[in-house]
Amino acid sequence: MTSTRSGPGEIVPEAESAPPEALELVLVTERELWMDGPPHELFARLRSECPVHWTDRLTEFPEEAGFWSVTTQEDVHTVSRDWRTYSSELGGITAATVGFPLELMRAMFIGMDPPKHDRLKMLFQAGFTPKRIAAHEDAIRAIAVSVLDSLHGHETCDLVTDVAQPVVSRVIGSFLGIPPEDDAMWAELMNSLLGAGDPDLNPNGIPDVSARLLPEVFARCQGMIAERREQPTDDLTSVLVHAEVDGAKLEEHEIVMGFFLLLAAGNDSTKSTYCSGMRALMEHPDQRQILLEDPSLVPSAVEESLRMFPAFAHFRRTATCDAELHGQKIRAGDKVVMWYASSNRDESRYEDPDHFDVRRNPDHQAFGAGGRHFCLGTALARLELRIMFEETLARYPNMEMAGVPLFAESPFINQLKTLPVRL
Ligand code: HEM
């Protein structure tokens, strides 16, 4: 089956009430589909019946154009690697970009194409190699241990807000030179910005992004920038302040957005995979027992958690020219969304893809699919996740769920916003 594409502005009134078999009418990013995390059944159908699928509109954002969904591992790989055809710079990096100005997205290297992307990424790459990151192991473990130990004597806690958030905030905060007392403030800002459509994470709604949240990020960042101009430090914020690209210093909005990118990526992603992975271990005690008996399998469990619960359900590209993908004609200017949440469960690559298997040690696309935007933070994320699983399992081997976990309402950040547990 191939999808049919409606013309611009054409209305498809039956869409919401369409029977499930009418895949042409499915609107993949509708909020109802994402209340309990990614719509995995829908993605399985798309992979098998319509792997490159056209969504006509986003009903919450009528001003947004529709988009192509790319759902299989092979096609995601093709799009990810072909930056000349599928640009990160042309139209933004998420399916919906409402409320987040395009020029600010383009000020982050995740929103740039080569050659500028290469030059900016190079500034940081040396500091993020597995070897350089490994040198932080003791410091990261000390952070995780101090947060977990602070729960001593408590019977219950929320794994998202009481464990994952403070750990990841302090880790990325220490890389960026943020004082520990500011961690919670920055975490709240980042959660509101990345979860802008979620009523709990961002109670004032999307308009608050440009009205309050972004101006606040700028205002708070300017102080840090001024301090580092005066006195260079050895943190990543200083790298941005003093960077020279093509013989010129970065502009202020590029420094602020570079800081934002590192903070947002470091703040959100590891937290989400840790919490979903811990939930899976609590729901599958047999799998947890395997890890408790053989902790050397933790790195494999980390990869399996990344595969099944990628922190970002998608990233997006924009076609620079007419192209063809899996038999579908893509037109210049079309949005092309790579669904990592789908490609990581591609049954042509994984046996029993919905089964959580801590021994699987899979390859996956949680960090991207081999293109130029491949995640800068893979070594850091892997190290953080390993340490957090190890230390949590060592202290609380019988942890169990103590309430209903809730997903952030978002087709972008694939994360729990609350996970109550009994320690
Ligand atoms: C579970 C953890 C993480 C996951 C699943 C994840 C996922 C991703 C993905 C999918 C991309 C590719 C975006 C695209 O295709 O356009 C990406 C890029 C990026 N990630 Fe991560 N990430 C994680 C952790 C981190 C951490 C801890 C950092 C810390 C600095 C980080 C920094 C970045 C940066 C800077 C980019 C942009 C790279 C570029 O544009 O070249 N990530 N990440």
Side-chain angles (χ1 to χ4, degrees), residues 111-145:
M112 294 175 190
D113 291 333
K116 196 167 182 195
H117 168 260
D118 295 345
R119 292 185 194 135
L120 265 163
K121 191 170 189 177
M122 221 156 52
L123 290 172
F124 297 99
Q125 227 149 14
F128 279 88
T129 60
K131 200 167 157 206
R132 290 286 292 278
I133 290 297
H136 297 270
E137 170 153 1
D138 290 349
I140 294 174
R141 196 175 294 277
I143 293 170
V145 164

CSV table of all heavy atoms in Angstrom, one decimal, residues 111-145:
chain,number,residue,atom,x,y,z
A,111,GLY,N,20.9,22.1,14.2
A,111,GLY,CA,20.1,22.7,13.2
A,111,GLY,C,20.9,23.3,12.1
A,111,GLY,O,20.4,24.3,11.4
A,112,MET,N,22.1,22.8,11.9
A,112,MET,CA,22.9,23.4,10.8
A,112,MET,C,23.3,22.2,9.8
A,112,MET,O,23.3,21.1,10.2
A,112,MET,CB,24.3,23.9,11.3
A,112,MET,CG,24.2,25.1,12.2
A,112,MET,SD,25.8,25.5,12.9
A,112,MET,CE,25.3,26.7,14.1
A,113,ASP,N,23.6,22.6,8.6
A,113,ASP,CA,24.2,21.6,7.6
A,113,ASP,C,25.7,21.9,7.5
A,113,ASP,O,26.1,23.0,7.9
A,113,ASP,CB,23.5,21.8,6.2
A,113,ASP,CG,22.0,21.4,6.2
A,113,ASP,OD1,21.6,20.5,7.0
A,113,ASP,OD2,21.2,22.0,5.4
A,114,PRO,N,26.4,20.9,6.9
A,114,PRO,CA,27.8,21.2,6.6
A,114,PRO,C,27.9,22.4,5.6
A,114,PRO,O,27.0,22.6,4.9
A,114,PRO,CB,28.3,19.9,6.0
A,114,PRO,CG,27.3,18.9,6.4
A,114,PRO,CD,26.0,19.6,6.5
A,115,PRO,N,29.0,23.2,5.6
A,115,PRO,CA,30.2,22.9,6.4
A,115,PRO,C,30.1,23.5,7.8
A,115,PRO,O,30.9,23.2,8.7
A,115,PRO,CB,31.3,23.6,5.6
A,115,PRO,CG,30.6,24.7,4.9
A,115,PRO,CD,29.2,24.3,4.6
A,116,LYS,N,29.2,24.5,8.1
A,116,LYS,CA,29.2,25.1,9.4
A,116,LYS,C,29.0,24.1,10.5
A,116,LYS,O,29.6,24.2,11.5
A,116,LYS,CB,28.1,26.2,9.4
A,116,LYS,CG,28.3,27.1,10.6
A,116,LYS,CD,27.4,28.4,10.5
A,116,LYS,CE,27.8,29.3,11.7
A,116,LYS,NZ,26.8,30.3,12.0
A,117,HIS,N,28.1,23.1,10.2
A,117,HIS,CA,27.8,22.1,11.2
A,117,HIS,C,29.1,21.4,11.6
A,117,HIS,O,29.4,21.2,12.8
A,117,HIS,CB,26.8,21.1,10.7
A,117,HIS,CG,26.8,19.8,11.6
A,117,HIS,ND1,27.4,18.7,11.2
A,117,HIS,CD2,26.2,19.6,12.8
A,117,HIS,CE1,27.2,17.8,12.2
A,117,HIS,NE2,26.4,18.3,13.1
A,118,ASP,N,29.9,21.0,10.6
A,118,ASP,CA,31.2,20.3,10.9
A,118,ASP,C,32.1,21.1,11.8
A,118,ASP,O,32.7,20.6,12.7
A,118,ASP,CB,31.9,19.9,9.6
A,118,ASP,CG,31.1,19.0,8.8
A,118,ASP,OD1,30.2,18.4,9.3
A,118,ASP,OD2,31.5,18.8,7.6
A,119,ARG,N,32.2,22.4,11.5
A,119,ARG,CA,33.2,23.2,12.2
A,119,ARG,C,32.8,23.4,13.6
A,119,ARG,O,33.6,23.3,14.5
A,119,ARG,CB,33.3,24.6,11.5
A,119,ARG,CG,33.9,24.4,10.1
A,119,ARG,CD,34.2,25.7,9.4
A,119,ARG,NE,34.5,25.4,8.1
A,119,ARG,CZ,34.0,26.1,7.0
A,119,ARG,NH1,33.1,27.1,7.2
A,119,ARG,NH2,34.3,25.8,5.8
A,120,LEU,N,31.5,23.6,13.9
A,120,LEU,CA,31.0,23.8,15.2
A,120,LEU,C,31.1,22.5,16.0
A,120,LEU,O,31.5,22.4,17.2
A,120,LEU,CB,29.6,24.3,15.3
A,120,LEU,CG,29.6,25.8,15.4
A,120,LEU,CD1,28.3,26.4,15.0
A,120,LEU,CD2,30.0,26.3,16.8
A,121,LYS,N,30.7,21.4,15.4
A,121,LYS,CA,30.7,20.1,16.1
A,121,LYS,C,32.1,19.7,16.5
A,121,LYS,O,32.4,19.2,17.6
A,121,LYS,CB,30.1,19.0,15.3
A,121,LYS,CG,29.8,17.7,16.0
A,121,LYS,CD,29.0,16.8,15.3
A,121,LYS,CE,28.5,15.6,16.1
A,121,LYS,NZ,27.6,14.7,15.4
A,122,MET,N,33.1,20.1,15.6
A,122,MET,CA,34.5,19.7,15.9
A,122,MET,C,35.0,20.3,17.2
A,122,MET,O,35.8,19.8,17.9
A,122,MET,CB,35.3,20.2,14.7
A,122,MET,CG,36.4,19.2,14.3
A,122,MET,SD,36.9,19.4,12.6
A,122,MET,CE,37.2,21.2,12.6
A,123,LEU,N,34.5,21.5,17.5
A,123,LEU,CA,34.9,22.2,18.7
A,123,LEU,C,34.7,21.3,20.0
A,123,LEU,O,35.5,21.4,20.9
A,123,LEU,CB,34.1,23.4,19.0
A,123,LEU,CG,34.3,24.6,18.1
A,123,LEU,CD1,33.2,25.7,18.4
A,123,LEU,CD2,35.7,25.2,18.3
A,124,PHE,N,33.7,20.5,19.9
A,124,PHE,CA,33.3,19.7,21.1
A,124,PHE,C,33.7,18.2,21.0
A,124,PHE,O,33.8,17.6,22.1
A,124,PHE,CB,31.8,19.8,21.4
A,124,PHE,CG,31.3,21.2,21.6
A,124,PHE,CD1,30.8,21.9,20.6
A,124,PHE,CD2,31.5,21.7,22.9
A,124,PHE,CE1,30.4,23.2,20.9
A,124,PHE,CE2,31.1,23.0,23.1
A,124,PHE,CZ,30.6,23.8,22.1
A,125,GLN,N,33.9,17.7,19.8
A,125,GLN,CA,34.0,16.3,19.6
A,125,GLN,C,35.2,15.7,20.5
A,125,GLN,O,35.0,14.7,21.1
A,125,GLN,CB,34.2,16.0,18.2
A,125,GLN,CG,33.3,14.8,17.8
A,125,GLN,CD,32.9,14.9,16.3
A,125,GLN,OE1,33.4,15.6,15.5
A,125,GLN,NE2,31.9,14.1,16.0
A,126,ALA,N,36.3,16.4,20.5
A,126,ALA,CA,37.5,15.9,21.2
A,126,ALA,C,37.1,15.7,22.7
A,126,ALA,O,37.6,14.7,23.3
A,126,ALA,CB,38.6,16.9,21.1
A,127,GLY,N,36.3,16.5,23.3
A,127,GLY,CA,36.0,16.4,24.7
A,127,GLY,C,34.9,15.3,25.0
A,127,GLY,O,34.7,14.9,26.1
A,128,PHE,N,34.3,14.7,23.9
A,128,PHE,CA,33.3,13.7,24.1
A,128,PHE,C,33.6,12.3,23.6
A,128,PHE,O,32.8,11.5,23.5
A,128,PHE,CB,32.0,14.2,23.4
A,128,PHE,CG,31.2,15.2,24.3
A,128,PHE,CD1,31.5,16.6,24.2
A,128,PHE,CD2,30.2,14.8,25.1
A,128,PHE,CE1,30.8,17.5,24.9
A,128,PHE,CE2,29.6,15.8,25.9
A,128,PHE,CZ,29.8,17.1,25.8
A,129,THR,N,34.9,12.1,23.4
A,129,THR,CA,35.3,10.7,22.9
A,129,THR,C,35.1,9.8,24.1
A,129,THR,O,35.2,10.2,25.3
A,129,THR,CB,36.8,10.7,22.5
A,129,THR,OG1,37.6,11.1,23.6
A,129,THR,CG2,37.0,11.6,21.3
A,130,PRO,N,34.9,8.5,23.9
A,130,PRO,CA,34.8,7.5,25.0
A,130,PRO,C,35.9,7.6,26.0
A,130,PRO,O,35.7,7.6,27.2
A,130,PRO,CB,34.8,6.2,24.3
A,130,PRO,CG,34.2,6.5,22.9
A,130,PRO,CD,34.7,7.8,22.6
A,131,LYS,N,37.2,7.9,25.5
A,131,LYS,CA,38.3,7.9,26.4
A,131,LYS,C,38.2,9.2,27.3
A,131,LYS,O,38.4,9.1,28.5
A,131,LYS,CB,39.6,8.0,25.6
A,131,LYS,CG,40.8,7.6,26.3
A,131,LYS,CD,42.0,7.3,25.4
A,131,LYS,CE,43.2,7.4,26.3
A,131,LYS,NZ,44.4,7.8,25.5
A,132,ARG,N,38.0,10.3,26.7
A,132,ARG,CA,37.9,11.5,27.5
A,132,ARG,C,36.7,11.5,28.5
A,132,ARG,O,36.8,11.9,29.6
A,132,ARG,CB,37.7,12.8,26.6
A,132,ARG,CG,38.9,13.1,25.8
A,132,ARG,CD,40.1,13.7,26.6
A,132,ARG,NE,39.7,15.1,27.1
A,132,ARG,CZ,39.9,16.2,26.4
A,132,ARG,NH1,40.4,16.1,25.1
A,132,ARG,NH2,39.5,17.3,26.9
A,133,ILE,N,35.6,10.9,28.0
A,133,ILE,CA,34.4,10.8,28.9
A,133,ILE,C,34.7,9.8,30.1
A,133,ILE,O,34.3,10.0,31.2
A,133,ILE,CB,33.2,10.3,28.1
A,133,ILE,CG1,32.8,11.5,27.2
A,133,ILE,CG2,32.1,9.9,29.0
A,133,ILE,CD1,32.3,12.8,27.9
A,134,ALA,N,35.4,8.7,29.8
A,134,ALA,CA,35.7,7.7,30.8
A,134,ALA,C,36.4,8.3,32.0
A,134,ALA,O,36.3,7.9,33.1
A,134,ALA,CB,36.6,6.6,30.2
A,135,ALA,N,37.2,9.4,31.7
A,135,ALA,CA,37.9,10.1,32.8
A,135,ALA,C,36.9,10.7,33.8
A,135,ALA,O,37.3,11.0,35.0
A,135,ALA,CB,38.8,11.1,32.3
A,136,HIS,N,35.7,10.8,33.5
A,136,HIS,CA,34.7,11.4,34.4
A,136,HIS,C,33.9,10.4,35.2
A,136,HIS,O,33.0,10.7,36.0
A,136,HIS,CB,33.6,12.2,33.6
A,136,HIS,CG,34.2,13.4,32.8
A,136,HIS,ND1,34.3,14.6,33.4
A,136,HIS,CD2,34.7,13.5,31.6
A,136,HIS,CE1,34.8,15.5,32.5
A,136,HIS,NE2,35.1,14.8,31.4
A,137,GLU,N,34.3,9.1,35.0
A,137,GLU,CA,33.5,8.0,35.7
A,137,GLU,C,33.4,8.2,37.2
A,137,GLU,O,32.3,8.1,37.7
A,137,GLU,CB,34.1,6.6,35.4
A,137,GLU,CG,33.4,5.6,36.2
A,137,GLU,CD,33.4,4.2,35.6
A,137,GLU,OE1,33.9,4.0,34.5
A,137,GLU,OE2,32.8,3.3,36.2
A,138,ASP,N,34.5,8.5,37.9
A,138,ASP,CA,34.4,8.6,39.3
A,138,ASP,C,33.5,9.8,39.7
A,138,ASP,O,32.8,9.7,40.7
A,138,ASP,CB,35.8,8.8,39.9
A,138,ASP,CG,36.7,7.5,39.8
A,138,ASP,OD1,36.1,6.5,39.5
A,138,ASP,OD2,37.9,7.6,40.0
A,139,ALA,N,33.7,10.9,39.0
A,139,ALA,CA,32.9,12.1,39.4
A,139,ALA,C,31.4,11.8,39.1
A,139,ALA,O,30.6,12.2,40.0
A,139,ALA,CB,33.3,13.3,38.5
A,140,ILE,N,31.1,11.1,38.0
A,140,ILE,CA,29.7,10.8,37.7
A,140,ILE,C,29.1,9.8,38.8
A,140,ILE,O,28.0,10.0,39.3
A,140,ILE,CB,29.5,10.3,36.3
A,140,ILE,CG1,29.9,11.4,35.3
A,140,ILE,CG2,28.1,9.8,36.1
A,140,ILE,CD1,29.9,11.0,33.9
A,141,ARG,N,29.9,8.9,39.1
A,141,ARG,CA,29.5,7.9,40.1
A,141,ARG,C,29.2,8.6,41.5
A,141,ARG,O,28.2,8.3,42.1
A,141,ARG,CB,30.5,6.7,40.3
A,141,ARG,CG,29.9,5.5,41.0
A,141,ARG,CD,30.9,4.3,41.0
A,141,ARG,NE,31.2,3.8,39.7
A,141,ARG,CZ,30.4,2.9,39.1
A,141,ARG,NH1,29.3,2.5,39.6
A,141,ARG,NH2,30.8,2.4,37.9
A,142,ALA,N,30.1,9.5,41.8
A,142,ALA,CA,29.9,10.2,43.1
A,142,ALA,C,28.6,11.0,43.1
A,142,ALA,O,27.9,11.0,44.1
A,142,ALA,CB,31.1,11.1,43.3
A,143,ILE,N,28.2,11.6,41.9
A,143,ILE,CA,27.0,12.3,41.8
A,143,ILE,C,25.8,11.3,42.0
A,143,ILE,O,24.9,11.6,42.8
A,143,ILE,CB,26.9,13.0,40.5
A,143,ILE,CG1,27.9,14.1,40.4
A,143,ILE,CG2,25.5,13.6,40.3
A,143,ILE,CD1,28.1,14.8,39.0
A,144,ALA,N,25.8,10.2,41.3
A,144,ALA,CA,24.7,9.2,41.4
A,144,ALA,C,24.6,8.7,42.8
A,144,ALA,O,23.5,8.6,43.3
A,144,ALA,CB,25.0,8.1,40.4
A,145,VAL,N,25.7,8.4,43.4
A,145,VAL,CA,25.7,7.8,44.8
A,145,VAL,C,25.2,8.8,45.7
A,145,VAL,O,24.3,8.5,46.6
A,145,VAL,CB,27.2,7.4,45.2
A,145,VAL,CG1,27.3,7.1,46.7
A,145,VAL,CG2,27.6,6.1,44.4
